[in-house]
Amino acid sequence: MAVNERVLDEILNSYPAKVKRTRKKHILLRDSSLAHQEIEANTRTVPGIMTNRGCAFAGCKGVVLGPLKDMVHIVHGPIGCAYYSWLTRRNKAIPKEPGKNYLTYCVSTDMQESDIVFGGEKKLARMIDEVVEVLKPNAITISATCPVGLIGDDIQAVARAAQQKHGLNITAYNCEGYKGVSQSAGHHIANNGLMELVVGQGDWEEPPAKYTINMLGEYNIGGDSWEIERVLNEIGYHVQAVMTGNGSYEDLKNAHVAELNLVQCHRSINYIADMLEKKYGTPWLKVNFIGIRATCESLRNMALYFGDEDLIKKTEEVIARELAETERQLEPYQKICAGKTTFCFVGGSRGHHYQGLYEEIGIETTLAGYEFAHRDDYEGRDVLPNIKPDADSKNIPELHVVPDERRYRLKLSNERTEELKDKIPLSHYKGMNMTMKDGSLIVDDMNHYETEEFIRTMKPDIFSSGIKDKYVPHKMGIPAKQLHNYDYSGPYAGFKGAVNFARDISMSFTTPTWNFIEPPWKNKPLLEGTIEKPAKNSSAD
Ligand code: CFM
């Protein structure tokens, strides 16, 4: 059943009036006849509501810094935060130099009560000495967890002193979990630190190859960036740095030489994309390597940006060869999936990115949303000037970047930029909402109650989200696919990834497991009521 305003109202009626008013602003019924549909996002979750969101530390250390493989990422705080951010995201990496992959280590100052009372700076300094001596990384990051901010340890000063002492790039991030309203704040903090103290620290002045690019907002979950890089390399691109999947300090410090920055996940990395443009004059291109159509379109847009006939030809050749291979492999899965529906509720970009891939295998997305995205991820970057900063967002410092006197170079003439902007998403993202079908539901920061109610009403054939809500649909007899860490599978990006995805989704439908579980509504009517006897003296009318 599709949801309409009345059904939506009934579902939200279970909330106290004030909560209902708040939640209503975070939910949209897509209606393309309206000029613009505004959604509220990136605001505090109502206390008491079960949300899927993480914290600033998760966004900084867990998401953006964590995948950089030749650096040791020290977690300054009690042990739990380090333990639970220890490679659970399945961001894969292969060392470039022997032994220079520290992702499998969990490095924490393991603060105890006495450190909280007397301060943890000395312990942190000792830990850095030990890390340098024992592990010999190329660089070090320090991420603060909640108590560090509360007791006021000056981790920036510790990092500066250690940098002097060891002659190593050592950066500190004040990403205490309570900053901002979700992990999104942590992305911003990590972006600022990397941009200020890492990117551009290398001494390269020229790109090492003809078509040198960076891939921003790609984290190599389940090996995604390896599949994307395979295709890009075949076409003839040189990927200087991936931010940050399978990424390294060594690549990142020279990322300023690229001719173009690709942006896969807009939410987590748009700050760096913007700052690179301001500082070095390098435009960014919004790409999506999830789904075959989106991958082809992204590759074609890249070729158009460079405008080289040979590159355009090579792009078409690679696309034709990959399509011939994958279309044949997809067919059996398309038969299994045809006509089904899904919910696609993921962090800050995949709620949008996976809809095309679902569509290609015959599955329609009836509900989509993000845990922590901002309005621009829903409505497009045109709304940026209209977003009013609140107390929570003002908490995160904005870096004011100016053109680099020596290295700023306009990569495109103004006329060419304008010409390209009409054809490709150059330094622009149009957001998720306008690609959604009329009547579909867009939900921001969906909670446990709403998850259950929307499943009960809309009955999707599959639910895609993460570990926190995966078992809710399972218990309701519906398969669930984790689109955060891919449930031990992947890659799902690019051409080969699309086939893996189609196979895994088909397996979800065909597993005999579902013969042993019945969705509650199969045997139970949706509406329940009793017929009461008429009162004695009532007249029949
Ligand atoms: Fe970007 Fe990501 Fe995502 Fe994200 Fe995340 Fe993630 Fe995500 Mo989980 S960086 S916003 S903070 S694409 S870990 S790899 S899957 S919530 S949609």
Side-chain angles (χ1 to χ4, degrees), residues 347-385:
S349 82
R350 295 183 175 182
H352 184 195
H353 285 164
Y354 273 81
Q355 292 186 32
L357 179 51
Y358 266 125
E359 198 185 331
E360 283 162 34
I361 56 173
I363 300 177
E364 188 192 329
T365 303
T366 52
L367 178 151
Y370 300 124
E371 287 171 31
F372 52 77
H374 299 197
R375 279 183 60 200
D376 39 318
D377 303 293
Y378 290 100
E379 301 169 54
R381 282 179 74 91
D382 290 342
V383 298
L384 279 174

Side-chain angles (χ1 to χ4, degrees), residues 58-59 62-64 89 183-184 187 217-221 264-269 345-351 353 370-373 483-486:
V63 172
V64 179
R89 184 162 165 251
Q183 53 266 65
S184 171
H187 300 150
E218 165 48 54
Y219 299 93
N220 203 26
I221 311 300
Q264 169 77 11
C265 167
H266 174 262
R267 182 65 267 134
S268 63
I269 212 91
F345 181 78
V346 208
S349 82
R350 295 183 175 182
H353 285 164
Y370 300 124
E371 287 171 31
F372 52 77
L483 287 187
H484 296 254
N485 74 351
Y486 302 162

